[in-house]
Amino acid sequence: MNIETISKWSLSSRVLHWLSAFFIFGLFILGVWMRTLDYYNPWYQQAPDLHKSFGILLISIMIVRLVLRFFTPPPPHLDTHKPWEINIAKVVHWALYLGVILILITGYLIATSENRPIEVFETFNIPVLIQAFDEQEDIAGFIHEWAAYTLMAFVGLHMAGALKHHFIDKDKTLKRML
Amino acid sequence: MKIKLRTALAAIALTLSSSLWAGEQYKIDTKGMHAAIEFKIKHLGISWLKGNFNDFSGEFNFDEKNPAASNVSVSINTASLDSNHGERDKHLRGDDFLDVKTFPKAIFKSTKVVSTGNGEAKIHGDLTLHGVTRNIVIDAKQIGAGNDPWGGFRRGFEGSTTISLHDFNINFNLGPASKEVILNLYVEGIRK
């Protein structure tokens, strides 16, 4: 085992990272797109159903990820990482985690606001656990939408950082996640 | 002093005359909620989609001898729309439909009541919805009137009208069968 493999993120972390990246992008695009659909569009019913089903899948991925994050420490920072880079990375990473969690929770609250369970891929139901507040779909909907746009801004920062390390600093930061 | 007395007398006279001449004043019982405002619209031309506005208030003036002197006004909190489906309600409250943030109230004020006999009447009035005011006609019918067991006097009506969404500048395409909405009102007034 050489130094490089040790300093990589664990295989499970890498798989979960890219899987959630795929889901988060997919859900964002699906979410924006489905709201533009005409009432007679064949996807009008299906797109929200899929959005909810994939959202539930992402919740399970995020739970596993967060548990892993707490039990297996991330690889140490590279020696070339400057303190300000480390600090910004830390803020952005936790903003990403928090953003995703907030969006998932509010999404659940919208879908269950009328006290009906969420049907996942028409195979099983996620029950209603809580009726949080009056006008739940409106409040949760507002947070869901704006948290999603904010999250995308942080995703942009995250990607910009990764690309900067890869192309400008020419270090192994991005490669450790591949 | 003199002026004050005169204003007081005038006020009393006004109160008396309004109670003497303008029929009976009723407040719609939204506290005990013996009233409902329901909307329904065709779904794909196959069935009905039904919902309610849960929060509204109103009053009416009823003159048994001279029904034409009656009038009614109702104010609806548009955000209280409820079709028993959270995501649809959110959509209907949004700017594709009622845009309740910009237009939080829908208001109906009668302008003319025409009795058609048998306790039925056509209530003409202005409906302001989604920022647009249009004249509409509500077909109204008295259900009953009488003393309630708690010392009050009540009078109840039902009314129905059909409005076109396009008239109120709501242009989201729900299909050819779903261009009109039926509004049904069930109101019970408590005499003041």
Side-chain angles (χ1 to χ4, degrees):
Chain A
M1 214 190 258
N2 60 34
I3 299 289
E4 213 163 275
T5 41
I6 292 169
S7 76
K8 267 201 166 196
W9 287 79
S10 68
L11 178 65
S12 51
S13 296
R14 277 177 280 153
V15 169
L16 288 168
H17 169 267
W18 290 105
L19 203 58
S20 30
F22 175 77
F23 271 71
I24 289 163
F25 267 117
L27 281 164
F28 180 74
I29 293 163
L30 183 55
V32 170
W33 174 72
M34 72 186 193
R35 300 196 356 164
T36 67
L37 294 178
D38 171 63
Y39 195 64
Y40 278 68
N41 191 294
W43 288 95
Y44 189 87
Q45 299 270 357
Q46 245 173 347
D49 286 347
L50 286 174
H51 185 80
K52 285 182 256 182
S53 300
F54 282 115
I56 295 294
L57 271 189
L58 183 59
I59 290 180
S60 27
I61 293 171
M62 287 309 292
I63 290 171
V64 177
R65 262 191 94 174
L66 283 169
V67 170
L68 267 181
R69 185 71 160 70
F70 281 109
F71 287 99
T72 61
H77 290 288
L78 299 178
D79 296 337
T80 52
H81 287 170
K82 299 175 195 72
W84 68 269
E85 291 178 320
I86 293 171
N87 286 332
I88 288 187
K90 198 175 263 175
V91 169
V92 173
H93 286 156
W94 286 107
L96 291 172
Y97 281 126
L98 276 176
V100 172
I101 292 165
L102 186 64
I103 294 165
L104 289 169
I105 291 173
T106 48
Y108 173 83
L109 289 178
I110 301 168
T112 56
S113 64
E114 216 66 66
N115 214 2
R116 269 187 290 271
I118 301 176
E119 230 178 63
V120 181
F121 298 116
E122 295 177 24
T123 46
F124 64 96
N125 284 345
I126 301 292
V128 184
L129 298 174
I130 184 173
Q131 291 287 294
F133 24 74
D134 280 353
E135 293 165 37
Q136 184 169 305
E137 64 271 26
D138 295 320
I139 297 162
F142 179 82
I143 300 171
H144 191 74
E145 182 179 1
W146 287 102
Y149 289 128
T150 311
L151 179 74
M152 283 300 129
F154 278 102
V155 166
L157 284 176
H158 183 59
M159 286 164 59
L163 295 174
K164 172 199 174 274
H165 282 289
H166 193 71
F167 290 110
I168 297 172
D169 301 341
K170 298 193 194 311
D171 64 22
K172 298 243 182 288
T173 310
L174 177 59
K175 280 199 173 149
R176 298 195 305 173
M177 193 43 106
L178 296 174
Chain B
M1 198 60 190
K2 220 176 196 177
I3 297 169
K4 260 189 190 164
L5 190 69
R6 208 184 276 169
T7 1
L9 281 173
I12 292 167
L14 210 73
T15 326
L16 280 174
S17 70
S18 66
S19 59
L20 280 174
W21 301 109
E24 301 166 336
Q25 287 282 344
Y26 290 83
K27 186 176 163 44
I28 294 173
D29 182 18
T30 45
K31 191 166 160 243
M33 207 35 102
H34 295 100
I37 297 178
E38 167 191 285
F39 62 88
K40 62 178 192 173
I41 180 167
K42 279 271 173 68
H43 183 231
L44 306 171
I46 292 167
S47 180
W48 293 104
L49 177 277
K50 262 180 55 160
N52 287 281
F53 290 99
N54 291 334
D55 182 13
F56 55 92
S57 61
E59 41 197 46
F60 59 86
N61 186 294
F62 182 78
D63 193 332
E64 197 148 27
K65 291 184 197 88
N66 181 17
S70 304
N71 62 66
V72 54
S73 68
V74 179
S75 168
I76 301 170
N77 178 2
T78 51
S80 70
L81 176 146
D82 176 12
S83 71
N84 196 18
H85 187 277
E87 289 141 299
R88 177 172 53 223
D89 293 349
K90 182 170 167 303
H91 192 195
L92 296 178
R93 288 181 200 124
D95 48 18
D96 276 340
F97 293 93
L98 295 180
D99 195 1
V100 303
K101 280 221 181 81
T102 321
F103 308 109
K105 292 252 184 269
I107 288 165
F108 175 77
K109 265 192 171 43
S110 69
T111 50
K112 187 172 72 173
V113 176
V114 181
S115 173
T116 51
N118 284 333
E120 291 180 25
K122 295 210 178 283
I123 303 174
H124 297 252
D126 291 326
L127 174 65
T128 304
L129 176 70
H130 197 238
V132 181
T133 303
R134 293 247 170 195
N135 195 262
I136 61 165
V137 181
I138 299 175
D139 291 312
K141 184 183 171 193
Q142 176 167 301
I143 305 300
N147 293 317
D148 65 29
W150 316 288
F153 185 87
R154 293 168 184 250
R155 191 178 293 278
F157 292 91
E158 66 182 334
S160 181
T161 188
T162 303
I163 61 169
S164 144
L165 287 175
H166 180 74
D167 282 351
F168 291 90
N169 203 19
I170 297 169
N171 295 310
F172 189 89
N173 180 24
L174 291 166
S178 310
K179 295 186 180 304
E180 291 185 329
V181 175
I182 296 176
L183 292 170
N184 290 322
L185 296 90
Y186 307 92
V187 298
E188 181 176 303
I190 306 173
R191 193 165 66 191
K192 287 185 187 172

